[in-house]
Amino acid sequence: MGKFPHEPFVGPVKPFDQAHVLRATFGEPRGLKGAGGPAGGGDPRARYLASIGQIAPVGTRSLHDGVDIVAPDGTPVFALESGIAKTGGTGYDGNVIVGSFGYWHLSNTIPTGSAVTAFTTVIGKVYPGQQHVHLTRFTAAGRGEGADDPVNPLLGGGLTPYADTQPPEFGQLVAFDRSQNKLPVTALKGPVVLAVNAADVQSAGNTRTGVYTKGYQLRDGAGRIVLGPIPVFEFQVLPVHGVANRLYTAASTRHKFQSRFWYRVSDRAPSDSAFLHTERLVPGNYMLEVSAGDARGNVAHRAYPIRVVAL
């Protein structure tokens, strides 16, 4: 936790002493840079990502580097620290960085070089159609000077007031073979990728956001652990691109309040392996036990029956 500023901070929209709904959290999957298809993050883009091979290393996965705070279009956005503004971007990508924080999806931004007073200066307004302000927190050392040092705004002091009492939820488990064909989870053979649908349900607003931690283990028919426990990620900071590409299926993304998050399962941590090698397992019935947690310590577990068959 040494990279984190430890002082708690409030949100950048009024009322400052009131919790605001989050519609997206740190580490969520976004688009695939270089994968082709329609530009932007809308439904056409989501349909394209769902149409391509789901486990192919196509493009570079973008991960969400902050939290999205729900606010009506046109809402004034205030800086959380005093300092000198650095303004960039055009259209909905309009942004302002002051000190350790960056604010995205702004219109009417103040000019670069403007002196800013915390909680007094309006640095911009929520861009039309965005219905939220994106808040990135940088490391204390980075002070917003680089794009490589965002840290989770919900940790190390973090956003306040903020509460989340609901654990994540799990959905369907799917499987793909090495050729990217979908397999029934009752007939797994050879190297496969398993992917589980999951989301953290925010107790404020009931929005579905990305989970903070994920792990799993595999038990055989006798209940013995034959694989794991394997921690997949803990989003204090963002992983390197090579790991990010192995965390999600290609279709995993968000469009406004609609989340489509499919978390991948492999033999080892994502930095080591892209596949679950079922050919190394004795054919038979198994139980995949998956866990996911949020930034406030709520943890969910779910067991999925699978079956490995001989090659």
Side-chain angles (χ1 to χ4, degrees):
M1 301 290 285
K3 290 186 175 182
F4 289 85
H6 287 280
E7 299 80 8
F9 57 89
V10 300
V13 294
K14 290 183 175 180
F16 299 128
D17 60 351
Q18 176 180 307
H20 296 273
V21 174
L22 300 185
R23 82 176 198 187
T25 49
F26 192 79
E28 287 185 6
R30 292 298 186 263
L32 283 166
K33 299 176 183 177
D43 278 336
R45 180 69 173 171
R47 287 195 294 271
Y48 169 75
L49 291 175
S51 72
I52 65 176
Q54 289 303 294
I55 61 172
V58 175
T60 299
R61 171 66 69 185
S62 296
L63 298 184
H64 198 234
D65 65 359
V67 294
D68 287 351
I69 300 170
V70 173
D73 294 346
T75 298
V77 176
F78 297 82
L80 303 181
E81 289 183 359
S82 298
I84 303 300
K86 179 181 177 182
T87 300
T90 59
Y92 73 90
D93 194 43
N95 64 84
V96 177
I97 294 174
V98 183
S100 299
F101 295 94
Y103 315 80
W104 267 260
H105 310 313
L106 302 184
S107 65
N108 304 104
T109 54
I110 61 175
T112 290
S114 299
V116 172
T117 301
F119 307 109
T120 300
T121 306
V122 176
I123 59 174
K125 296 181 178 181
V126 174
Y127 194 88
Q130 293 303 300
Q131 301 175 328
H132 75 281
V133 55
H134 170 100
L135 176 68
T136 291
R137 177 172 62 155
F138 298 98
T139 61
R143 303 296 293 178
E145 293 301 318
D148 296 327
D149 56 357
V151 295
N152 194 325
L154 301 181
L155 303 177
L159 184 66
T160 188
Y162 168 72
D164 183 12
T165 59
Q166 291 186 239
E169 291 183 353
F170 290 107
Q172 185 182 7
L173 176 74
V174 297
F176 302 90
D177 66 16
R178 190 189 288 272
S179 298
Q180 309 203 63
N181 301 308
K182 225 171 179 181
L183 289 175
V185 297
T186 54
L188 302 178
K189 56 184 178 179
V192 300
V193 165
L194 298 179
V196 60
N197 178 244
D200 179 32
V201 182
Q202 296 286 324
S203 52
N206 206 41
T207 53
R208 299 179 66 81
T209 65
V211 302
Y212 167 55
T213 63
K214 176 177 168 285
Y216 59 88
Q217 62 186 16
L218 188 67
R219 293 184 185 271
D220 64 15
R224 295 170 298 212
I225 296 176
V226 296
L227 180 63
I230 296 176
V232 180
F233 59 75
E234 183 174 293
F235 282 136
Q236 298 187 32
V237 296
L238 296 180
V240 298
H241 292 310
V243 173
N245 275 13
R246 293 175 173 176
L247 294 180
Y248 301 98
T249 65
S252 298
T253 189
R254 167 183 293 283
H255 177 46
K256 295 187 177 179
F257 286 93
Q258 300 173 353
S259 59
R260 305 174 178 92
F261 304 147
W262 292 88
Y263 297 93
R264 290 171 55 162
V265 171
S266 63
D267 261 358
R268 298 179 294 280
S271 58
D272 299 321
S273 176
F275 294 97
L276 174 66
H277 289 275
T278 65
E279 73 276 14
R280 300 171 184 169
L281 300 172
V282 176
N285 295 320
Y286 293 84
M287 194 68 72
L288 178 70
E289 298 175 341
V290 187
S291 64
D294 62 27
R296 286 298 179 265
N298 303 296
V299 180
H301 303 270
R302 180 161 174 180
Y304 294 89
I306 62 174
R307 182 170 179 79
V308 174
V309 298
L311 284 171

